Amino acid sequence: MSANRRDFIKFVVVGAVTAGCPVDLSLVAAQGGETHLGGASVDGEDNQVCHQVRDGKVFSRPPASGKHDVVIVGGGVSGLTAAYRLQHRDVLLLEKEPHWGGNAYAMEYDGSTYATGSAFLEVNSEAFHFAKEIGLDPLPVYSPDGSIINGEFVPDTWGDGLNKLPYPPIARDSFKKFKKEMLSIDVEKRGTELYNVPFSSFMKLYAPEIKQWWDTFGPSNWGATSADTAAALGIYTMQEIEASSTADNRYTWPGGLGAITKKLAEILQPHYGERMVTSATTVAVVPGKEDVQVSYMAGGDLKTVSAKAVIMATPKFITRRIVEGLPEKQNRAMQQIRYAPYCVVNLIFNKPVYNKGYDTWCPGNTFTDFIVADWVIRKKSGYQQKYNILSCYTPMKEEERGLLLTEAGARQIAANVLRDFQKLLPETNVDPVEVHIYRRGHPMYMSTPRLYTQVQPLVRQPMDRVFFANTDSEGPESTTNEAIVAARRAVRQAEARLAGAVAKADSRAATIGSREYGYNASV
Ligand SMILES: Cc1cc2nc3c(=O)[nH]c(=O)nc-3n(C[C@H](O)[C@H](O)[C@H](O)COP(=O)(O)OP(=O)(O)OC[C@H]3O[C@@H](n4cnc5c(N)ncnc54)[C@H](O)[C@@H]3O)c2cc1C
């Protein structure tokens, strides 16, 4: 596309360079608030308070001005779920952003909803049942993923698509052999070994195109290329792709799993009222003998409240800087978790451009895959696709995080995504009416070897009156489901503490060999 053509497209840069990332404060200060620069607007979060926490600033905490049964820090899906489960308690819920949802957050363009993060859940998972419990009806995707490779669309990549991959026959055979071998591995039996070695060690004898495909799929789903991925997760996912080729087990809503956090906020707000506070950044959680003191910044004021229990639903790279007195081993475990920077670039077209499949993989491009925002409702009777919004998932390398700090850097990524998208197929060489980029600095923990078996069990240990939710407590992969599972565990632990029990170490070993999607409310 010529520079001239691009000049007429409106680029909107939204969202966060998540708190705690190692950046120059002066750059962060420059992007706070709403700025209009040419055709682009920046509506980013203000991370200055969190960066002060990161830099070791000691806030002089005022005395407690209120008391609560439970304070929940973080209003993503995990914190909101905990608040939902604790409606019979006096709960204070604190969220640093001006909106609820964290990484499961949807936005709208002229009435059409699109995802800025989390996309789909799996049938019969806890998230699936929880969505139903709160009154949502998950809609089936029913579309095995295709890929666009060398200018050709290949439907059902790992099914019939294996015969059509536009590679030399030797590479196609290698794909088939790889799949056969991965399906024959008993992950359950070899779990301990497989969670501790990289997935790439299983790819050495195969065509390089296989590694390229998984180095596209992995970063999008779990933040890491095959060299940084626990083999068990990659192999298990191959087995899941095969299982879902007969019955796709994915469900969603237009705009993805932001539907869950939106619904939770709608249910909880009338109930909690002023005890649900957005734009409130927690800066210190200080456990004492009788209570925990939580200090947070809201509207320029620093406040302290006293709680009988605290649930930290924030990611661990922030949590470990806020909670005082963490045992050294647990602190170190939290520090070991790595997070991928990640953008979602939404291309908004005012006519149908691409509706071939729900999620299409595009190895060798700036983005990894893209999703049709209204896929699950587009065939409903009476529905007319006013805008064809394509959400391009654009995970990045850790060392590229700095690019997100400036509007120019974020715009450049969005422009690269658009350039690559327009080269995919002849019909995609069309100009969108707008391009929105939602940037996040640390949204997805990387499913590295040993994380699930050795790091996460340490990370989630309760600390007398402080309990740890958030998806990065559970694993093996960052999902909305695990965020909900983590909330259930933390609520159970907090309830036991409120009833007078002393918090015990979590003796549950990591589930080896399979991700537990089954719904088991008693765990
Ligand atoms: C691009 C992308 C695509 C994804 N796709 C899928 C998918 O298809 N399916 C799936 O299941 N999962 C997916 N995930 C993962 C899923 O979105 C997350 O696992 C889930 O949303 C995590 O929820 P959480 O509540 O545990 O954490 P978060 O969403 O990180 O919520 C934590 C909250 O804490 C707040 N916070 C941080 N610091 C403070 C502070 N000091 N004080 C107060 N509040 C604070 C944050 O602003 C945030 O709102 C995806 C993630 C991304 C980024």
Side-chain angles (χ1 to χ4, degrees):
M1 184 177 58
S2 73
N4 273 355
R5 251 176 82 189
R6 192 156 56 225
D7 287 346
F8 288 105
I9 300 168
K10 186 174 174 199
F11 282 71
V12 181
V13 183
V14 203
V17 184
T18 305
C21 55
V23 295
D24 178 349
L25 267 178
S26 61
L27 290 177
V28 175
Q31 55 160 13
E34 183 139 354
T35 329
H36 288 279
L37 291 168
S41 72
V42 180
D43 181 10
E45 71 179 0
D46 184 353
N47 278 318
Q48 288 187 56
V49 179
C50 270
H51 284 268
Q52 287 172 341
V53 174
R54 176 207 61 189
D55 293 341
K57 178 174 162 75
V58 179
F59 292 83
S60 50
R61 293 180 285 116
S65 56
K67 278 186 175 177
H68 300 278
D69 290 340
V70 184
V71 171
I72 301 171
V73 184
V77 70
S78 204
L80 287 166
T81 303
Y84 178 83
R85 296 272 182 237
L86 286 165
Q87 284 177 81
H88 55 290
R89 295 278 181 193
D90 174 355
V91 166
L92 175 69
L93 175 57
L94 301 171
E95 164 56 47
K96 87 174 158 62
E97 291 293 301
H99 59 78
W100 305 101
N103 294 317
Y105 177 56
M107 293 182 77
E108 275 194 13
Y109 178 80
D110 192 19
S112 298
T113 311
Y114 61 86
T116 70
S118 196
F120 59 84
L121 48 76
E122 309 212 356
V123 72
N124 277 333
S125 61
E126 181 151 339
F128 180 86
H129 290 282
F130 183 61
K132 287 189 163 241
E133 183 183 330
I134 62 173
L136 289 171
D137 190 15
L139 305 169
V141 165
Y142 207 65
S143 161
D145 289 356
S147 298
I148 298 176
I149 297 170
N150 297 338
E152 269 184 49
F153 174 67
V154 181
D156 192 5
T157 315
W158 288 93
D160 278 355
L162 289 182
N163 297 313
K164 298 175 191 139
L165 294 172
Y167 293 134
I170 191 166
R172 276 204 297 272
D173 288 347
S174 194
F175 266 82
K176 289 178 195 164
K177 194 162 172 254
F178 176 80
K179 174 176 159 184
K180 198 169 163 214
E181 176 158 319
M182 294 305 111
L183 297 187
S184 72
I185 295 175
D186 187 337
V187 185
E188 188 129 6
K189 235 185 191 161
R190 294 175 56 189
T192 314
E193 168 209 347
L194 296 179
Y195 268 113
N196 295 340
V197 295
F199 190 29
S200 55
S201 62
F202 283 79
M203 292 175 185
K204 289 186 182 137
L205 302 175
Y206 295 95
E209 288 86 351
I210 292 176
K211 189 166 178 308
Q212 188 197 33
W213 195 89
W214 284 99
D215 285 349
T216 302
F217 189 87
S220 176
N221 280 288
W222 52 72
T225 59
S226 54
D228 277 326
T229 297
L233 180 59
I235 297 166
Y236 183 73
T237 303
M238 180 73 258
Q239 298 179 355
E240 252 191 347
I241 291 174
E242 174 65 2
S244 65
S245 65
T246 38
D248 191 338
N249 61 3
R250 295 171 300 175
Y251 282 70
T252 188
W253 299 269
L257 304 192
I260 296 183
T261 53
K262 183 169 179 256
K263 181 77 180 179
L264 280 170
E266 279 167 12
I267 295 172
L268 296 175
Q269 251 149 358
H271 178 75
Y272 283 125
E274 288 178 356
R275 286 180 289 129
M276 270 176 87
V277 195
T278 50
S279 302
T281 305
T282 300
V283 296
V285 171
V286 184
K289 259 207 162 115
E290 306 298 329
D291 69 350
V292 187
Q293 304 256 318
V294 179
S295 299
Y296 63 97
M297 193 72 92
D301 293 332
L302 190 59
K303 293 184 184 156
T304 299
V305 290
S306 153
K308 293 179 195 154
V310 170
I311 293 179
M312 295 301 297
T314 44
K316 301 295 174 287
F317 70 91
I318 296 174
T319 304
R320 59 178 283 274
R321 295 175 195 275
I322 296 175
V323 178
E324 269 189 18
L326 269 176
E328 188 48 35
K329 245 179 141 178
Q330 191 166 7
N331 195 339
R332 269 208 312 273
M334 289 185 182
Q335 198 175 7
Q336 277 175 41
I337 304 180
R338 291 163 61 188
Y339 297 82
Y342 207 144
C343 296
V344 176
V345 177
N346 278 288
L347 306 178
I348 301 169
F349 297 95
N350 58 3
K351 58 181 171 202
V353 169
Y354 185 96
N355 286 296
K356 286 185 201 291
Y358 168 64
D359 191 356
T360 304
W361 295 90
C362 306
N365 290 285
T366 313
F367 56 97
T368 51
D369 58 315
F370 66 94
I371 281 173
V372 177
D374 60 354
W375 179 262
V376 289
I377 53 163
R378 81 204 185 293
K379 286 192 176 153
K380 281 203 162 168
S381 72
Y383 180 73
Q384 275 215 322
Q385 190 174 57
K386 189 168 170 199
Y387 296 101
N388 191 191
I389 304 183
L390 302 174
S391 307
C392 300
Y393 285 79
T394 312
M396 296 160 64
K397 295 190 181 100
E398 289 161 291
E399 59 272 22
E400 293 169 343
R401 185 171 282 125
L403 288 175
L404 299 179
L405 288 173
T406 60
E407 189 204 334
R411 274 175 68 104
Q412 189 55 53
I413 295 165
N416 293 346
V417 166
L418 179 60
R419 177 203 61 209
D420 288 358
F421 178 83
Q422 291 183 317
K423 282 195 203 148
L424 285 179
L425 298 170
E427 67 262 36
T428 56
N429 190 10
V430 176
D431 288 347
V433 283
E434 280 196 19
V435 176
H436 292 188
I437 175 166
Y438 200 103
R439 54 184 167 168
R440 294 183 172 98
H442 295 69
M444 184 174 273
Y445 73 82
M446 297 165 61
S447 298
T448 49
R450 289 176 289 281
L451 177 80
Y452 183 51
T453 43
Q454 291 169 32
V455 177
Q456 285 175 324
L458 265 178
V459 149
R460 60 176 172 256
Q461 294 306 318
M463 216 186 123
D464 190 22
R465 293 175 182 275
V466 182
F467 306 94
F468 300 96
N470 195 285
T471 185
D472 64 1
S473 312
E474 300 298 316
E477 180 185 353
S478 176
T479 63
T480 293
N481 191 67
E482 303 313 318
I484 292 169
V485 170
R488 171 161 51 81
R489 176 191 36 75
V491 164
R492 177 176 50 77
Q493 292 169 332
E495 286 284 22
R497 187 66 185 87
L498 292 175
V502 178
K504 276 197 252 129
D506 185 359
S507 58
R508 182 170 59 99
T511 315
I512 307 284
S514 71
R515 293 133 84 195
E516 280 205 326
Y517 281 120
Y519 183 51
N520 180 356
S522 68
V523 176

